[in-house]
Amino acid sequence: MLALPFKQGITIPYDSEGGGDPLAEKRDSILWGAAGDNLSGSDYPQLDDRYGPLTIRRVYQRPRDGIPRSWAASNAGADAGKRASCWSGKPDMAAVASGSLDERILGFLRSVPKAHVAFVTIWHEPDVKLKNGTFSLSTYRAGFRRFCRLAKRVQEDGWSRLYTVQIVTTWAGTNPSKGRTYADMWPGDGLVDCYGADGYSHVGSKESLWGPAVEFARSRGIPWCVPEIGYGNRGSQNVSWMKDQIAYMTTTAAGGKHTRCAFACWFDTAGPISNPTPGNDRAWIAAARKASREHFFDHSRFVL
């Protein structure tokens, strides 16, 4: 087994998930990351110092950004060559559904470096947007379906490390509502490579929190991931919750070939229903750091 030098004289195993050929692509790895306060990622080195090594970043565009002119010009541009990305855009969904943004989307996706691991989506947590009337279910499904089909065209052109991801809330699974269930929002089989669920402590823990999303992903034959995870602004704040979720994510598979959660990103920024996680809590930081180091995997060798 090879080893990688890390900060302050620490040595991290090149592949701490089981050894073997250091160049072999493995499907039992999990990438650990976070969403920070700065959309462009200028604060990410500090997060990495505190509880890394972080191997993926959760990143967003604002609605006014539309589809960026290139990956390098997007908020995920700083990740290339450093870590994987989970990118989410918020273009006009009616325009996406109509096809008027096809060339813009294709150009953007084709600007992703081919060696870069990138999970891409538009309008994450659509259940929330459907509830508040941002768009209709039919518009969302048509637009997301079209986006995924365009991404599949790019994959076929040689972007094998570009993955589509649908990102929903765990709440939509634990408290399903007509018109906003996982099945309602699904764009159709063969379009989504990984199923993402954003989950927080006030909703549940382990199976009660992630179970519905894992089962849905398993029924569609695809792996699962956790683009956002953190403590809710109400309920228990005990560090044991973090440890329980880490244990669940690193031992639970959905569908496809990946044998555990593909990646998980701490939501280390203020949210309307959440606290920054791990934030400045020493116990939370220690738990996040332990997970990053025990399950470290080189992002450049990651495959889904």
Side-chain angles (χ1 to χ4, degrees):
M1 181 183 296
L2 300 180
L4 294 178
F6 193 58
K7 308 175 188 70
Q8 301 175 350
I10 298 171
T11 297
I12 298 293
Y14 188 72
D15 174 6
S16 60
E17 298 293 353
D21 182 356
L23 299 180
E25 294 178 331
K26 298 177 68 64
R27 296 183 188 273
D28 63 349
S29 56
I30 179 171
L31 302 178
W32 289 100
D37 286 325
N38 189 281
L39 291 178
S40 67
S42 62
D43 58 346
Y44 216 70
Q46 288 73 43
L47 303 184
D48 193 46
D49 283 340
R50 290 168 64 203
Y51 52 88
L54 302 177
T55 49
I56 188 169
R57 184 166 73 100
R58 179 74 179 100
V59 59
Y60 317 83
Q61 302 295 145
R62 297 158 297 188
R64 69 171 182 259
D65 297 334
I67 296 293
R69 65 182 183 274
S70 69
W71 186 261
S74 77
N75 285 332
D79 295 337
K82 299 177 182 178
R83 63 189 73 87
S85 305
C86 177
W87 175 89
S88 176
K90 295 182 178 180
D92 183 292
M93 194 55 109
V96 177
S98 74
S100 64
L101 294 181
D102 282 5
E103 292 307 312
R104 180 81 172 193
I105 293 170
L106 285 170
F108 172 70
L109 295 177
R110 286 176 175 146
S111 72
V112 179
K114 284 188 175 180
H116 184 60
V117 175
F119 292 84
V120 295
T121 195
I122 53 174
W123 287 101
H124 64 280
E125 299 184 357
D127 42 303
V128 178
K129 282 72 176 181
L130 292 169
K131 182 178 181 180
N132 65 25
T134 300
F135 39 65
S136 68
L137 177 60
S138 60
T139 298
Y140 168 73
R141 286 184 55 165
F144 187 58
R145 183 184 301 119
R146 194 171 194 101
F147 176 82
C148 290
R149 285 175 175 164
L150 293 171
K152 289 298 175 181
R153 284 174 56 182
V154 176
Q155 288 176 346
E156 292 169 359
D157 289 340
W159 275 258
S160 62
R161 296 181 182 272
L162 178 73
Y163 301 111
T164 56
V165 57
Q166 185 174 34
I167 302 174
V168 297
T169 67
T170 54
W171 180 264
T174 59
N175 297 270
S177 178
K178 185 178 180 180
R180 301 194 298 272
T181 67
Y182 291 163
D184 291 332
M185 296 180 287
W186 184 243
D189 293 345
L191 297 174
V192 176
D193 296 315
C194 195
Y195 200 64
D198 292 348
Y200 291 87
S201 62
H202 61 281
V203 180
S205 178
K206 298 185 291 186
E207 184 68 23
S208 71
L209 179 62
W210 314 105
V214 170
E215 285 303 315
F216 187 81
R218 189 174 293 146
S219 73
R220 264 54 184 183
I222 59 174
W224 73 297
C225 60
V226 178
E228 292 180 19
I229 177 175
Y231 283 97
N233 53 17
R234 54 188 173 84
S236 174
Q237 304 293 309
N238 194 300
V239 71
S240 63
W241 183 86
M242 280 182 73
K243 295 177 180 178
D244 285 345
Q245 308 327 300
I246 291 167
Y248 184 86
M249 292 184 292
T250 55
T251 58
T252 304
K257 297 180 180 179
H258 217 74
T259 60
R260 63 182 77 190
C261 179
F263 69 84
C265 294
W266 304 109
F267 199 64
D268 203 355
T269 185
I273 62 169
S274 62
N275 291 317
T277 307
N280 294 317
D281 188 290
R282 291 184 180 180
W284 298 1
I285 291 170
R289 184 190 303 118
K290 187 173 186 288
S292 295
R293 296 187 176 189
E294 285 190 356
H295 299 282
F296 173 79
F297 189 83
D298 179 6
H299 66 92
S300 70
R301 296 192 303 125
F302 178 90
V303 291
L304 194 60

